[in-house]
Amino acid sequence: MTNIDAKIPSGALKDKWTNHKNNINLVNPANKRLIDVIVVGTGLAGGSAAATLAELGYNVKAFAFQDSPRRAHSIAAQGGINAAKNYQGDGDSIYRLFYDTVKGGDYRSREANVYRLAEVSANIIDQCVAQGVPFARDYGGLLDNRSFGGVLVSRTFYAKGQTGQQLLLGAYSAMNRQIGRGKIKMYNRHEMMDVVLVDGKARGIIARDLVTGKVERHSAHAVVVGSGGYGNVFFLSTNAMGSNVSAAWKIHKKGAYFANPCFTQIHPTCIPVAGELQAKLTLMSESLRNDGRIWVPKNMEDVKAIRAGQLKPTQLSEDKRDYYLERRYPAFGNLVPRDVASRAAKERCDAGYGVNQTGQAVYLDFASAIERYGKETAHVQGLNENDQALVTKLGKEVIANKYGNLFQMYEKIVDENPYESPMMIYPAVHYTMGGIWVDYNLMTTVPGLYAIGEANFSDHGANRLGASALMQGLADGYFVLPYTIGDYLSNDIRTGTIPTDHPAFADAEKEVIERLDHLINNKGTKSVDNFHRRLGHIMWEKCGMARNRQGLTEAISEIQALRDEFWKDVKVPGGRNEFNEELAKAGRVADYLELGELFAKDALLREESCGGHFREESQSDEGEAKRDDENFKYVAMWEYTGKPADAILHKEDLVYENIELKTRSYK
């Protein structure tokens, strides 16, 4: 084990980023034209990075496995984006956002990175408004804010329940401008298969054209990976089915350390699992917890009657409902952080109070909000506040204006009207805080290789606050990487174009083709999905919301056995030189079968509970997560040495000079 230098600048926390920008090397505009940069992934992080780097003058090659950057999974983000602008005058500040983020991550994130994130957050909103992002506005025309879990202020900017889509369209429009200028060369339907290292530096990638099957070489002076998270290792998650770990895993196998793989976020407000053959889960935005109250029946006989269809939830009086988050966490109520809300829902359902047929659901109820908003609107309009029908009508209109598309989505999937009956929700795998380790400059342990957005580990510790994913992705892409990458590229202004006939490209291409051919020629008997679903079952049961030594030990051996079976018995129909989505999927599942083992190994080693990582052996008398700061206040960095079982642990010790470590309480 070795301690790693994260290249954090010296000086006061509030001055680190400013001083760092003032002292790093730059590339002048004329020389930027001589430098190529590859950006893998075109979601919010990759798209904003590609657009900004091209705007600065670099030659950018951008790769997306979708048919358009518009289809990146960032488009699915619903609730909002955080920024410390204090528009509400409720006491928010850069420091408050910094503190909430570190506390929300259960003191397992890097101080300097988080403060920088809070510092540049306000710039993101101005940038997006200038791009035309239609943020919600208040009655005076100013940008509106709402609250998210884990905070006591309103700092979340939003566009109904479509915030990710609108922000991505902003980045996409900026990209399109650069594509039109010829500064970005866009490779849609191309998947990165490997990174190419020349003399120890990242100098390009091997990509596969997913339409023709052709394997291609692409060179650059630096490679940026913004390919998202790895939640689909659980098979069922809120991620798009195409979301995968492969780009990040490939660079891990070439020398980039993988950090904290066990830090995975379980989102508390998802539509519950409906059946065995379901392929993905659907998120209901955390913004709904602003107005929705979460509850289960107090009495078991009422639970049984509801499950049997003999009783409707709307027929249950207030005194027979357990608003358990409000009961357990009165200060934050329904707006506790995601990990706390998720475990609380699991506890109630495990105790037998789940309200759907499987017993894996709780209610998210908007009746109180509809009445409150209805009376307020009636009062403003001088109407009869005691007319219940009128109040309900007006209240529903307010809720529809705030969350209409989310309610519509729920009704289409569940076939129940959430205006009339409470939503049913249950926790599901959502976001991954772990990822490729990067230093303060967002560079991995491989020179010239960068990781941004959800693909890296840097900002969220052991649990991400709601609405901070979009903030980090855009901060990295618009306001951090464009500065820090210049410090590295300033040494390449006389390097010239990187030739793709270098032996390193030939070797990497040969490895990729051999791996693809092996999958095609395997002639097994089981489908790719068969293995993915079985892996997901192991991960959810033994590496999910609660983990213990026995389960994690079993998971490691079970995943190893499943991986061996995969390589012997997976069946991939079709050929390599054609459109073959099963082949693409097989490669991704092969990577998950390696990541899953490292995930379990990391969780087994971390004998503490923190944020989304809950070890049953480490909890308080009240069932809350119990950290061990003396032994585990570090970033676990894993070095690949041939197989996950032999991965070598390195540590980055976390130093907190500006925050006092406390037992995280939301009561």
Side-chain angles (χ1 to χ4, degrees):
M1 297 185 192
T2 56
N3 283 309
I4 301 295
D5 179 16
K7 297 184 175 62
I8 298 169
S10 59
L13 188 64
K14 65 182 180 61
D15 300 325
K16 286 182 187 293
W17 179 229
T18 300
N19 291 341
H20 189 60
K21 288 189 293 182
N22 289 342
N23 290 293
I24 58 178
N25 294 317
L26 300 176
V27 181
N28 84 38
N31 287 332
K32 288 188 176 81
R33 295 194 290 269
L34 307 174
I35 294 176
D36 303 326
V37 180
I38 284 174
V39 179
V40 179
T42 53
L44 283 182
S48 60
T52 308
L53 292 171
E55 181 78 38
L56 288 171
Y58 295 106
N59 306 308
V60 177
K61 302 172 185 177
F63 292 80
F65 71 77
Q66 300 94 343
D67 54 7
S68 164
R70 284 187 59 177
R71 293 180 63 83
H73 188 57
S74 301
I75 206 167
Q78 298 167 350
I81 176 170
N82 288 331
K85 278 187 170 288
N86 194 32
Y87 279 178
Q88 304 299 311
D90 55 3
D92 201 11
S93 65
I94 289 172
Y95 183 86
R96 174 73 68 176
L97 175 52
F98 157 68
Y99 175 79
D100 286 344
T101 304
V102 174
K103 178 187 176 187
D106 219 352
Y107 306 97
R108 291 293 175 265
S109 45
R110 189 190 289 156
E111 260 197 356
N113 285 65
V114 178
Y115 193 89
R116 176 176 64 187
L117 176 66
E119 197 176 345
V120 304
S121 65
N123 299 340
I124 298 170
I125 304 304
D126 297 338
Q127 171 99 355
C128 294
V129 169
Q131 290 174 342
V133 173
F135 286 122
R137 295 179 180 267
D138 64 19
Y139 66 95
L142 299 176
L143 297 182
D144 198 12
N145 292 123
R146 56 190 179 200
S147 291
F148 260 58
V151 302
L152 294 171
V153 298
S154 293
R155 66 162 66 99
T156 304
F157 295 78
Y158 63 99
K160 276 197 171 181
Q162 309 168 355
T163 314
Q165 178 179 3
Q166 300 302 332
L167 292 172
L168 188 64
L169 288 173
Y172 176 62
S173 66
M175 279 188 74
N176 266 348
R177 180 169 175 269
Q178 300 306 323
I179 292 170
R181 292 180 63 221
K183 293 304 291 182
I184 293 179
K185 189 165 185 183
M186 188 67 227
Y187 294 89
N188 295 322
R189 301 298 287 154
H190 278 68
E191 182 163 22
M192 172 184 155
M193 305 302 292
D194 210 347
V195 65
V196 180
L197 306 185
V198 178
D199 299 327
K201 296 180 178 180
R203 291 303 199 189
I205 65 170
I206 303 299
R208 179 170 177 264
D209 183 329
L210 293 175
V211 177
T212 66
K214 182 183 177 184
V215 176
E216 303 170 352
R217 305 176 186 182
H218 297 274
S219 68
H221 298 91
V223 176
V224 179
V225 173
S227 55
Y230 50 88
N232 276 354
V233 69
F234 286 84
F235 185 70
L236 281 180
S237 83
T238 65
N239 292 273
M241 291 177 69
S243 298
N244 63 84
V245 76
S246 288
W249 194 251
K250 292 299 191 293
I251 68 174
H252 168 57
K253 293 176 78 168
K254 283 294 181 73
Y257 292 178
F258 209 103
N260 300 332
C262 76
F263 285 172
T264 308
Q265 183 168 78
I266 311 292
H267 198 295
T269 55
C270 300
I271 297 177
V273 176
E276 280 291 313
L277 298 180
Q278 193 165 343
K280 79 173 296 292
L281 297 172
T282 302
L283 173 70
M284 289 286 101
S285 169
E286 182 176 319
S287 62
L288 296 174
R289 288 200 277 149
N290 271 289
D291 290 311
R293 300 176 70 194
I294 296 173
W295 63 277
V296 292
K298 281 184 181 177
N299 304 315
M300 192 59 71
E301 56 266 29
D302 291 331
V303 174
K304 293 176 180 176
I306 285 173
R307 287 190 195 169
Q310 299 164 355
L311 182 68
K312 294 182 178 179
T314 51
Q315 296 173 318
L316 218 57
S317 59
E318 286 287 305
D319 62 315
K320 293 185 177 180
R321 300 181 179 192
D322 177 15
Y323 294 96
Y324 58 87
L325 289 178
E326 298 170 31
R327 168 173 57 82
R328 291 178 60 178
Y329 309 101
F332 282 75
N334 294 294
L335 286 174
V336 292
R338 292 175 174 179
D339 61 314
V340 177
S342 295
R343 282 195 294 273
K346 181 179 187 297
E347 184 275 328
R348 286 291 78 196
C349 290
D350 287 351
Y353 291 89
V355 293
N356 66 350
Q357 293 298 313
T358 65
Q360 302 290 297
V362 299
Y363 287 127
L364 180 62
D365 196 331
F366 291 86
S368 296
I370 288 171
E371 182 169 357
R372 183 177 73 253
Y373 285 128
K375 286 192 172 184
E376 181 182 307
T377 306
H379 181 83
V380 169
Q381 296 179 3
L383 302 173
N384 183 4
E385 297 175 45
N386 297 313
D387 183 337
Q388 192 59 47
L390 175 65
V391 165
T392 300
K393 174 179 176 293
L394 294 174
K396 286 179 179 178
E397 289 173 357
V398 174
I399 291 293
N401 190 47
K402 295 179 77 171
Y403 311 112
N405 64 305
L406 299 172
F407 277 52
Q408 181 185 40
M409 192 161 64
Y410 180 88
E411 185 169 7
K412 281 184 176 294
I413 293 170
V414 181
D415 196 25
E416 282 188 6
N417 184 346
Y419 294 100
E420 305 292 341
S421 183
M423 288 183 180
M424 287 187 291
I425 57 166
Y426 193 70
V429 172
H430 179 52
Y431 186 91
T432 52
M433 287 74 65
I436 296 298
W437 183 89
V438 292
D439 63 18
Y440 189 74
N441 292 323
L442 304 183
M443 191 189 290
T444 70
T445 44
V446 175
L449 182 58
Y450 293 79
I452 58 176
E454 193 180 357
N456 76 28
F457 88 102
S458 66
D459 293 349
H460 306 297
N463 180 60
R464 178 177 67 83
L465 291 181
S468 286
L470 307 186
M471 176 174 64
Q472 186 216 340
L474 293 181
D476 285 357
Y478 282 137
F479 298 112
V480 180
L481 181 78
Y483 283 101
T484 61
I485 200 170
D487 187 46
Y488 172 80
L489 292 173
S490 62
N491 295 314
D492 271 321
I493 58 176
R494 294 291 175 262
T495 300
T497 303
I498 306 296
T500 56
D501 58 359
H502 190 282
F505 279 89
D507 291 344
E509 181 182 331
K510 181 171 177 285
E511 286 179 24
V512 166
I513 291 173
E514 286 175 352
R515 187 165 64 242
L516 292 170
D517 284 343
H518 180 95
L519 289 166
I520 288 291
N521 298 323
N522 201 49
K523 308 304 180 189
T525 63
K526 296 186 178 74
S527 70
V528 175
D529 276 347
N530 174 283
F531 290 98
H532 196 180
R533 185 176 281 109
R534 287 159 64 192
L535 172 64
H537 181 76
I538 296 169
M539 296 298 295
W540 180 250
E541 292 299 321
K542 296 176 180 178
C543 308
M545 273 194 280
R547 304 153 183 185
N548 58 55
R549 171 171 290 278
Q550 179 182 342
L552 292 167
T553 304
E554 291 172 355
I556 290 171
S557 59
E558 289 173 16
I559 293 169
Q560 288 172 344
L562 185 64
R563 187 169 67 244
D564 290 343
E565 184 186 344
F566 171 87
W567 286 108
K568 292 174 184 173
D569 201 26
V570 70
K571 180 179 181 179
V572 179
R576 171 166 63 82
N577 297 311
E578 62 185 18
F579 177 78
N580 189 340
E581 193 56 28
E582 280 297 296
L583 177 58
K585 194 192 303 180
R588 297 165 192 164
V589 173
D591 294 331
Y592 278 135
L593 285 163
E594 293 184 344
L595 166 70
E597 183 181 345
L598 185 65
F599 185 122
K601 180 176 180 176
D602 186 51
L604 180 62
L605 183 77
R606 190 171 284 275
E607 295 178 326
E608 64 162 352
S609 291
C610 57
H613 170 63
F614 189 77
R615 283 289 295 267
E616 293 175 352
E617 302 93 334
S618 184
Q619 56 182 303
S620 69
D621 294 338
E622 298 172 321
E624 303 292 349
K626 189 176 179 181
R627 290 197 325 268
D628 181 353
D629 293 332
E630 184 177 347
N631 295 304
F632 294 99
K633 187 166 60 66
Y634 62 76
V635 177
M637 305 164 57
W638 293 98
E639 178 185 1
Y640 186 81
T641 59
K643 52 186 178 180
D646 298 330
I648 298 172
L649 174 67
H650 303 274
K651 296 179 181 178
E652 178 199 338
D653 291 327
L654 294 169
V655 178
Y656 293 99
E657 298 175 340
N658 301 274
I659 285 181
E660 180 185 352
L661 273 70
K662 300 176 181 177
T663 299
R664 196 177 58 146
S665 174
Y666 290 92
K667 297 183 178 180

